[in-house]
Amino acid sequence: MLGICYYPEHWPESQWASDAQEMRDLGLTYVRIAEFAWSRLEPTEGHYTFDWLDRAIDTLANAGLKVIMCTPTATPPKWLVEAYPDMLAVDVNTGQSRGFGSRRHYDFSSIDYHREAMRISEVLAKRYGEHPAVVGWQTDNELACHDTTPSASASAVNAFQEWCKTRYQTIEKLNEEWGNVFWSMEYPSFASISAPYFAVTETNPAHQLAFRRFSSDQVIAFHDDMVAIIRQHAPGRFVTHNFIPMADTQTDNYALARELDFAAYDNYPLGRTDLFFANADTAQFKRYMRTGHPDFSSYYFDQTRGLCQKNFWIMEQQPGPVNWAVHNPRPEPGMIALWSWVAFGHGADTVCYFRWRQAPFAQEQMHAGLKRADNSPSAAYKEVQQVKAELDELNIKPDDPLHYDVAIVSTTANQWITEIEQQGQSYLHQQVEFEYYHALRMLGLNVAFVSPEAALTDYKLVVVPTMPVVTDSFIERCKKTSATIVFGPRSGSKTEEFQTPQNLAPGKLQNLIQVKVLSVETLRDDISETLHYEGQTFHSNRWREELDVDNKTKVLATYHDHTPAVVQAENRVYVGTLGCADFTRALLEKLAKVSGLTTYTLPEDVRTVERGDYRLLFNYSAEAVRVDGFANKEFVIGSNELPGYSYAVMKR
Ligand code: GAL
């Protein structure tokens, strides 16, 4: 299905009915509304003006559209800020209160804001919870976007002190767990603990990790309360949230998704590619500047699917240039349709575009919509028509089974640890994880993202790009699977409270594979050294561990001086270094084959994915390509000879 983000409050009421009819004619099913409309729903405290929203919903419903209602809590209005100034978060870089004038200025720890946000959510849920046209709810909007998880406010510090009390029980325990004897950082009481900011140089990593855990817990508590209110008044309706990547939110998205029916993702392939390649060389970036990197959207789609282990929605998809990246190119013709199909292929049940009509005012005037500000259709419009026609023909089912042979275990706390103690500027958590994902996708493998709590028995290959904190239960689950498990560097290198394990890295993993990390060096990313693997020469760079192994552990790859770099015992592999893309692919290809998986050799800018009865092929390059190996298949869209920027769908 397809949908759209619509802001009736931005347009004259006389235009609503024709907008709705046109949406219906375009084949859209869902319209998401109201996520920023608080000042129009409650212009002054306690004075509600729902009449316009009633009429907007009726207009959409009369055209046969279904409504996704949002709580408007991402944009608390000015009167609320004036009534409760303590609801503003405090910026952890400057120590200043966040100003009014954009969005997300609130503090998750503010008791006043929590009460007000739940109040408006409840009033809305009571009014529209059982409205026949309102079929689902979205909580807030992109929670914690714009670096808004942590706050250094007095409310946050007070709540953090309580959080510490609950976690550590006594101040002596906290001092010991954090190692506060170092630099005389011992605290006399919980009341004397502050947020880990504004000190002269780096603050204690254990303190930073605790504050990140606390801040994430605050977001989740706020969200869970909102979900409970909606569920109480909107029986039988789904509740979802439009996520952005964990790397950007500093919030544990797995925990945030726990109370939802399914997760949704906001897909901006060009903006994200621009930011991701900000420091890459021009040639590398230019190639994907108008298509997005072939693995970038799906990397987040697969992660989003992993949050609830269920199919997901795209709640927003870029329809043209955005306004917020460093540079904002136009997509190549065909990409709006291609991205939509990538989403469907990776498990999206609905794709909604952002937004119906380009805004002629305020912050996002330069952000494209399906229609231009003068109501003429933009370039994307035709592509949405095309997707709709194809969807009708294919009959993609919402509960199509997705099959995964490979899992990537991804974790928030581990991302935090490697960010807090980066050790080398060129170690970037997201990039490390992406490199493994990219290699697996180049091999044509469907990849599931799973949390560290997941069972590992359903997969043939499990990749753990990095997992500094390993739990006993994770070790037990590793022992129960026959999958080949690959651990990237830094795995097992820290305890839960950010200390070095007594038996050194990889700590508890030594129960699975006999290897010890004797020392670590980090290098600039433009410096690399030889890595020998299977008679070939690759590069090792950025992160290099000196490994000590016993004679039961096999050495798979060695450094330039022939010391071990990658080792294996039974079905467990430990990788002590980051390597070049060719090495990661060669290693994973070998391990995938040994594990009984079929891999493909795809042209560089072609990807494939399976969903239900179909296999999809995507060509991200300008050049036409022929994808060998699929010539005799029954194609329902296109063929294995793909023109530039196109896709094909075949029966499996
Ligand atoms: C999203 C956000 C939307 C809009 C959009 C612009 O992150 O949820 O409200 O701002 O970006 O690309």
Side-chain angles (χ1 to χ4, degrees), residues 26 77 87 110 149-150 234 333 390 394 521 557 582 632:
L26 182 57
M87 61 157 282
S110 158
T149 294
E390 290 165 343
L394 257 65
E521 63 170 349
D582 289 345
N632 302 324

Side-chain angles (χ1 to χ4, degrees), residues 7 32 35-36 103 141-142 145-146 242 244 266 268 316 322-324 354 364 367:
Y7 301 89
R32 182 192 68 162
E35 79 272 21
F36 302 128
R103 58 182 173 183
N141 184 78
E142 294 185 345
C145 173
H146 309 307
N242 56 335
I244 59 169
D266 289 350
Y268 291 91
E316 304 180 11
V322 300
N323 64 309
W324 46 261
F354 181 91
E364 292 179 353
H367 191 297

Side-chain angles (χ1 to χ4, degrees), residues 10-11 355 357-362 364-366 372-374:
H10 294 181
W11 308 102
R355 52 185 272 159
R357 195 182 297 109
Q358 185 160 356
F361 44 68
E364 292 179 353
Q365 292 173 51
M366 298 298 284
R372 300 190 190 94
D374 70 351

Side-chain angles (χ1 to χ4, degrees), residues 353-479:
Y353 301 93
F354 181 91
R355 52 185 272 159
W356 176 243
R357 195 182 297 109
Q358 185 160 356
F361 44 68
Q363 281 93 327
E364 292 179 353
Q365 292 173 51
M366 298 298 284
H367 191 297
L370 287 192
K371 308 206 79 187
R372 300 190 190 94
D374 70 351
N375 208 28
S376 56
S378 72
Y381 201 87
K382 270 209 170 75
E383 296 190 31
V384 176
Q385 281 171 325
Q386 176 188 327
V387 173
K388 172 63 184 157
E390 290 165 343
L391 271 176
D392 287 346
E393 210 175 309
L394 257 65
N395 184 24
I396 294 265
K397 296 179 221 66
D399 49 1
D400 269 347
L402 280 91
H403 182 69
Y404 299 98
D405 289 316
V406 185
I408 288 185
V409 185
S410 109
T411 69
T412 315
N414 292 304
Q415 174 194 318
W416 294 339
I417 285 172
T418 61
E419 284 170 355
I420 292 169
E421 191 183 65
Q422 207 180 349
Q423 183 65 7
Q425 266 183 8
S426 47
Y427 186 101
L428 298 169
H429 174 273
Q430 208 191 346
Q431 193 181 338
V432 170
E433 190 177 82
F434 180 74
E435 283 171 9
Y436 279 101
Y437 178 80
H438 168 64
L440 293 166
R441 295 293 302 138
M442 290 285 287
L443 296 166
L445 296 164
N446 277 14
V447 180
F449 276 82
V450 301
S451 86
E453 277 84 48
L456 303 173
T457 40
D458 290 344
Y459 309 99
K460 293 200 167 116
L461 179 63
V462 173
V463 178
V464 185
T466 185
M467 188 189 269
V469 178
V470 173
T471 61
D472 293 332
S473 92
F474 184 75
I475 296 287
E476 287 316 305
R477 272 172 288 121
C478 287
K479 285 183 180 163

Side-chain angles (χ1 to χ4, degrees), residues 278-551:
N279 301 320
D281 63 71
T282 317
Q284 206 187 349
F285 169 67
K286 191 174 169 195
R287 182 181 182 89
Y288 301 123
M289 126 186 132
R290 294 203 177 90
T291 61
H293 186 284
D295 296 314
F296 219 59
S297 294
S298 67
Y299 173 56
Y300 293 118
F301 297 162
D302 290 341
Q303 287 184 10
T304 305
R305 196 188 167 281
L307 296 178
C308 297
Q309 292 301 322
K310 265 193 204 154
N311 283 3
F312 61 98
W313 277 34
I314 299 299
M315 198 56 94
E316 304 180 11
Q317 190 198 279
Q318 161 171 20
V322 300
N323 64 309
W324 46 261
V326 186
H327 308 94
N328 297 293
R330 272 190 295 268
E332 292 289 357
M335 291 314 295
I336 306 304
L338 190 148
W339 292 330
S340 309
W341 275 108
V342 175
F344 288 123
H346 284 260
D349 283 340
T350 290
V351 172
C352 300
Y353 301 93
F354 181 91
R355 52 185 272 159
W356 176 243
R357 195 182 297 109
Q358 185 160 356
F361 44 68
Q363 281 93 327
E364 292 179 353
Q365 292 173 51
M366 298 298 284
H367 191 297
L370 287 192
K371 308 206 79 187
R372 300 190 190 94
D374 70 351
N375 208 28
S376 56
S378 72
Y381 201 87
K382 270 209 170 75
E383 296 190 31
V384 176
Q385 281 171 325
Q386 176 188 327
V387 173
K388 172 63 184 157
E390 290 165 343
L391 271 176
D392 287 346
E393 210 175 309
L394 257 65
N395 184 24
I396 294 265
K397 296 179 221 66
D399 49 1
D400 269 347
L402 280 91
H403 182 69
Y404 299 98
D405 289 316
V406 185
I408 288 185
V409 185
S410 109
T411 69
T412 315
N414 292 304
Q415 174 194 318
W416 294 339
I417 285 172
T418 61
E419 284 170 355
I420 292 169
E421 191 183 65
Q422 207 180 349
Q423 183 65 7
Q425 266 183 8
S426 47
Y427 186 101
L428 298 169
H429 174 273
Q430 208 191 346
Q431 193 181 338
V432 170
E433 190 177 82
F434 180 74
E435 283 171 9
Y436 279 101
Y437 178 80
H438 168 64
L440 293 166
R441 295 293 302 138
M442 290 285 287
L443 296 166
L445 296 164
N446 277 14
V447 180
F449 276 82
V450 301
S451 86
E453 277 84 48
L456 303 173
T457 40
D458 290 344
Y459 309 99
K460 293 200 167 116
L461 179 63
V462 173
V463 178
V464 185
T466 185
M467 188 189 269
V469 178
V470 173
T471 61
D472 293 332
S473 92
F474 184 75
I475 296 287
E476 287 316 305
R477 272 172 288 121
C478 287
K479 285 183 180 163
K480 285 198 185 113
T481 182
S482 56
T484 304
I485 315 181
V486 183
F487 294 98
R490 304 188 83 155
S491 295
S493 62
K494 297 291 164 190
T495 66
E496 173 76 13
E497 293 295 333
F498 217 129
Q499 300 201 9
T500 303
Q502 269 181 0
N503 60 348
L504 303 185
K508 289 182 177 161
L509 289 187
Q510 291 177 41
N511 292 309
L512 299 177
I513 177 166
Q514 268 311 311
V515 56
K516 192 174 277 218
V517 178
L518 301 181
S519 71
V520 171
E521 63 170 349
T522 56
L523 304 176
R524 283 164 54 127
D525 55 6
D526 55 356
I527 290 180
S528 61
E529 283 177 336
T530 313
L531 190 60
H532 301 282
Y533 174 60
E534 299 257 298
Q536 284 179 275
T537 306
F538 298 94
H539 300 289
S540 142
N541 56 27
R542 293 167 289 166
W543 186 279
R544 293 161 60 90
E545 294 175 355
E546 182 190 1
L547 303 182
D548 183 32
V549 286
D550 72 4
N551 53 13

